[in-house]
Amino acid sequence: MSKFIHLLYVPTMNCNMSCRYCYLGDSTTELQSDKGYLETLRFAVDKFREADVIPFNISLHGGEVTTLSQGDFRDIVEYISNYYADNSALLSANGFRVGRPHIKTNLLSLHKHIDAIRDFDVSISGSLDLPLSLHDKYRVTKDGKGTLERILKNIELLSSLSNRKKVSATIFDEHFRHLDEIVEDIKFLSEKTCLDMNDFNFMIGFEPQTECEVKLTPLSEEKQVLLYRRMYEEFMGSNLEKGLTTAWFAEFTPAYCTNCTNCGEKFFLLEKNGDIYSCVRGQSDRNFFYGNIFTDSVTEILSSAAEKIFIAHNNSGFDEECAACEYLHLCKTGCPFVKNITGSPKSYTCKLQKEIYKTLPHDPIPKNFAYDYLCANHPRLADLRHIEEYAENSLPDLIAKDEKLKKVYDEDAFILFCDGVEYPLKSQLLKTKRDFITISKESDIRIYVRRDVLSALSDYPVNNALYMMLLSGDMVVYGDEQREKQAHVMTHLIFSPTLEKNISDKEGYFRADIGKLLSMYGDSLSAENANNLFFTTSALRDYHYTKQKNNAFYHIAAMNLPFQNIELFYFDPETFLSHIEE
């Protein structure tokens, strides 16, 4: 089945400006390469297509793409134009709008390429600082000169063209202080230029990178909301109302890239040297580097992309407030890159987005979405968090509804100690990773059982026991069903009065030393496969089987041994040495 991706191409890192808050810093100089400007893009698209990965959008970014020679610029936009023409039927059949060449530009050298822009109907997305009075303070040439006058003249050159022409502005606190000017400049650009200000975009600046010459102050969430409300006050009912309610704040709506469970499955930025990053935000960060199109396979690049975005989401954590938020399906906690920069598990524009969603037509949050989102992006948290709606009749849902069953799966009930390391034990059905230990007959192995666990679900705790089961990693066929299972090696019970007599070094827990017990069965354990050691109590075990008998959903969801476990390998030094001597 075909996979469709959004592809940004950076044909050059060279830039004719030196914006004082640019996150790329000194890297905006031309990087030398044996590959030509067009050749890299052509090679990448062909390689993707061979793997049935189809760009549905190809846009040009930088650096600054207009620093290319007229010939190189024309060659690239002509290639993209032909790509859309050649693949229009395929894209349309799969629900994608057939585009045209699009460039993100600072507009300073646009005059060099007016003919190619006209000939191939190139869509323009320019950058300005608002208010315009700050433009020449922050957006300057390499030698520190202002750029606004030249840019406004270049915008005039676009007046006779029918192509799409828009601008965007990034707002930091320094810009927000001039809110009245911003309002007036939007009106000026709408009335006095050819720019389509109904297609204008606000972007909210976040914590700048260390390479920046000037570190501007990120706009607080409260001020972001004030910005949005002020725009509503000024422009609702005006000729710019359409833009206000659609494009102006589109970056913070489900139409944008952040509305992805994993944006690494869809968005890619390709540099001229073949390096592939997540996007323009992650362009300078090796944590968001996916591979090189010349040296890595498409499969490796796609796998790396999904994995690194998954890691980025996990590194930033998850806020429990998001689980209960009615807008989680719209924001999906925001950009993973920015979350890693800010150190927040939430979108840095959370309050602004909620304000927007109040007025944005949208479907209600799907049933179980929070649980499904966590399963995809934070699987280790999915069953640890108390989310209001689990997938109905899933194991976490059944546990959440049954106070007694919660005791069976209690994750603080058992702690295994092995040669100086503690392992809190969890049911093998609820784990997202497996824990392994290697033991020998000399190993110091202890099991700690929280004291109240021995009285849980037991009318007569004196008759209750710590229940241990050891299974070999080798498989055998059991019973009339002829099912293949791990071979059962031993079951061992230690009753409450015995545990009471043992001295424990962990407050609130009983202790049992089980190293010698396990070593008794070393010869019966698998040497090749991981063996399985389970812990529960007699009472908890009985309740599990009673629940299985009485509830068909639980019977399906929970296997025969759902108890807290750890996997182990048994190492016999004497046997090992004898093999060496032989």
Side-chain angles (χ1 to χ4, degrees):
M1 184 176 179
S2 299
K3 179 180 181 65
F4 291 86
I5 64 170
H6 187 291
L7 183 64
L8 283 174
Y9 179 46
V10 178
T12 177
M13 288 297 294
N14 188 46
C15 187
N16 49 9
M17 287 173 59
S18 187
C19 298
R20 300 193 189 280
Y21 52 77
C22 179
Y23 61 92
L24 293 175
D26 295 335
S27 64
T28 55
T29 54
E30 183 59 89
L31 301 179
Q32 298 302 314
S33 172
D34 294 332
K35 304 293 181 180
Y37 298 101
L38 176 58
E39 282 69 20
T40 298
L41 177 60
R42 191 195 305 275
F43 179 89
V45 171
D46 288 346
K47 188 169 181 175
F48 277 126
R49 291 299 303 271
E50 288 173 4
D52 204 18
V53 177
I54 303 163
F56 66 85
N57 183 292
I58 302 177
S59 299
L60 300 177
H61 214 283
E64 174 53 44
V65 65
T66 61
T67 61
L68 294 175
S69 69
Q70 291 177 324
D72 288 326
F73 181 88
R74 174 176 284 271
D75 287 345
I76 293 175
V77 297
E78 182 176 14
Y79 169 82
I80 296 173
S81 180
N82 291 337
Y83 174 85
Y84 284 132
D86 294 342
N87 294 280
S88 60
L90 174 64
L91 297 177
S92 296
N94 284 277
F96 297 100
R97 179 183 63 83
V98 179
R100 54 184 179 235
H102 177 80
I103 64 171
K104 182 68 177 178
T105 173
N106 60 30
L107 300 167
L108 188 64
S109 296
L110 204 65
H111 57 285
K112 289 172 41 180
H113 305 292
I114 288 296
D115 289 342
I117 291 170
R118 176 187 297 108
D119 293 345
F120 296 100
D121 195 25
V122 177
S123 173
I124 304 293
S125 179
S127 298
L128 291 172
D129 259 29
L130 292 182
L132 296 176
S133 62
L134 293 183
H135 185 96
D136 282 348
K137 179 178 180 179
Y138 298 125
R139 301 178 69 82
V140 297
T141 61
K142 295 292 187 185
D143 56 358
K145 295 180 180 179
T147 60
L148 182 60
E149 182 179 359
R150 173 76 268 175
I151 287 172
L152 291 176
K153 288 182 178 179
N154 281 339
I155 291 173
E156 288 182 20
L157 294 178
L158 296 173
S159 299
S160 61
L161 306 186
S162 60
N163 64 321
R164 179 187 179 192
K165 30 195 176 281
K166 59 177 287 186
V167 289
S168 62
T170 301
I171 306 297
F172 287 93
D173 192 76
E174 287 78 357
H175 302 93
F176 178 81
R177 297 171 196 167
H178 304 269
L179 202 49
D180 291 341
E181 287 185 63
I182 290 176
V183 169
E184 294 306 313
D185 286 341
I186 289 174
K187 294 177 181 178
F188 165 77
L189 293 171
S190 178
E191 296 168 4
K192 303 299 182 181
T193 74
C194 64
L195 296 173
D196 181 2
M197 293 304 288
N198 272 305
D199 203 13
F200 169 70
N201 295 126
F202 275 113
M203 293 184 286
I204 305 297
F206 49 87
E207 187 69 28
Q209 302 299 282
T210 56
E211 293 85 354
C212 301
E213 179 184 348
V214 175
K215 291 188 177 181
L216 299 183
T217 309
L219 201 59
S220 70
E221 289 200 61
E222 290 72 22
K223 289 182 178 179
Q224 294 171 22
V225 173
L226 290 177
L227 169 68
Y228 180 74
R229 290 176 178 173
R230 178 63 187 279
M231 294 304 111
Y232 249 76
E233 292 173 3
E234 292 288 346
F235 295 102
M236 276 301 287
S238 74
N239 64 318
L240 296 179
E241 178 180 332
K242 178 182 177 182
L244 170 67
T245 57
T246 55
W248 284 18
F249 294 92
E251 180 179 351
F252 317 106
T253 68
Y256 214 69
C257 58
T258 52
N259 185 241
C260 294
T261 300
N262 186 313
C263 60
E265 298 177 348
K266 185 175 180 181
F267 293 90
F268 300 85
L269 180 143
L270 168 71
E271 292 187 344
K272 176 190 168 185
N273 65 356
D275 285 347
I276 295 181
Y277 288 86
S278 59
C279 59
V280 295
R281 288 178 172 178
Q283 190 174 354
S284 60
D285 193 324
R286 297 300 287 184
N287 291 320
F288 292 82
F289 171 72
Y290 296 161
N292 186 285
I293 196 66
F294 295 120
T295 60
D296 299 314
S297 71
V298 171
T299 299
E300 290 171 330
I301 291 169
L302 297 183
S303 176
S304 174
E307 178 182 2
K308 290 198 171 183
I309 295 301
F310 174 85
I311 291 172
H313 278 298
N314 274 267
N315 285 344
S316 59
F318 183 78
D319 194 306
E320 289 187 11
E321 289 185 9
C322 296
C325 180
E326 61 182 306
Y327 302 124
L328 178 61
H329 64 306
L330 302 179
C331 90
K332 298 182 180 176
T333 73
C335 173
F337 176 81
V338 181
K339 287 197 298 182
N340 277 249
I341 294 297
T342 61
S344 171
K346 288 184 176 182
S347 169
Y348 75 115
T349 57
C350 177
K351 292 182 180 178
L352 170 62
Q353 289 174 257
K354 288 180 178 178
E355 190 78 6
I356 294 170
Y357 299 151
K358 290 177 184 177
T359 59
L360 182 73
H362 62 270
D363 294 327
I365 188 167
K367 183 177 175 63
N368 307 319
F369 183 84
Y371 180 73
D372 293 341
Y373 173 81
L374 281 181
C375 286
N377 261 358
H378 300 274
R380 294 189 65 186
L381 297 178
D383 298 324
L384 297 176
R385 301 285 175 167
H386 297 290
I387 299 172
E388 185 175 347
E389 290 186 331
Y390 291 105
E392 189 173 5
N393 291 320
S394 66
L395 181 58
D397 178 52
L398 294 167
I399 294 173
K401 294 175 180 176
D402 187 331
E403 292 300 319
K404 293 182 179 180
L405 207 55
K406 288 179 183 179
K407 298 181 186 299
V408 176
Y409 292 90
D410 189 338
E411 293 171 17
D412 296 319
F414 303 96
I415 300 173
L416 186 83
F417 175 95
C418 179
D419 294 330
V421 180
E422 288 190 353
Y423 300 87
L425 301 184
K426 181 177 179 179
S427 166
Q428 62 177 345
L429 301 187
L430 300 178
K431 289 181 180 180
T432 57
K433 67 181 185 69
R434 298 163 68 186
D435 291 319
F436 297 92
I437 57 173
T438 298
I439 67 172
S440 72
K441 64 181 181 180
E442 305 299 329
S443 291
D444 178 9
I445 307 173
R446 314 166 196 167
I447 183 67
Y448 293 98
V449 188
R450 204 176 65 235
R451 285 182 170 270
D452 64 293
V453 173
L454 269 296
S455 60
L457 309 187
S458 177
D459 294 332
Y460 303 99
V462 70
N463 294 330
N464 200 10
L466 169 65
Y467 199 108
M468 291 180 281
M469 291 158 283
L470 181 63
L471 278 64
S472 167
D474 295 329
M475 308 300 285
V476 294
V477 177
Y478 274 103
D480 184 62
E481 295 175 350
Q482 293 294 287
R483 285 192 296 168
E484 191 177 53
K485 299 181 181 180
Q486 287 185 306
H488 201 113
V489 175
M490 72 91 172
T491 296
H492 188 85
L493 283 75
I494 306 178
F495 284 84
S496 291
T498 303
L499 290 171
E500 286 279 6
K501 294 177 182 179
N502 293 342
I503 298 174
S504 177
D505 55 339
K506 186 178 289 293
E507 186 176 355
Y509 283 79
F510 292 120
R511 166 179 165 174
D513 293 61
I514 59 174
K516 292 182 178 179
L517 172 66
L518 296 177
S519 67
M520 290 173 55
Y521 299 95
D523 292 341
S524 300
L525 298 177
S526 173
E528 291 81 23
N529 304 313
N531 305 281
N532 228 327
L533 179 61
F534 293 89
F535 297 91
T536 186
T537 71
S538 299
L540 295 176
R541 178 179 179 273
D542 289 345
Y543 186 76
H544 158 68
Y545 286 113
T546 299
K547 184 76 172 182
Q548 271 199 333
K549 180 180 179 181
N550 296 333
N551 189 306
F553 292 114
Y554 181 72
H555 189 89
I556 294 171
M559 63 172 64
N560 193 40
L561 293 176
F563 309 114
Q564 292 84 331
N565 80 308
I566 196 162
E567 295 179 83
L568 60 89
F569 292 92
Y570 184 78
F571 173 72
D572 186 340
E574 294 178 0
T575 303
F576 179 73
L577 289 174
S578 66
H579 281 313
I580 293 178
E581 292 171 358
E582 291 174 3

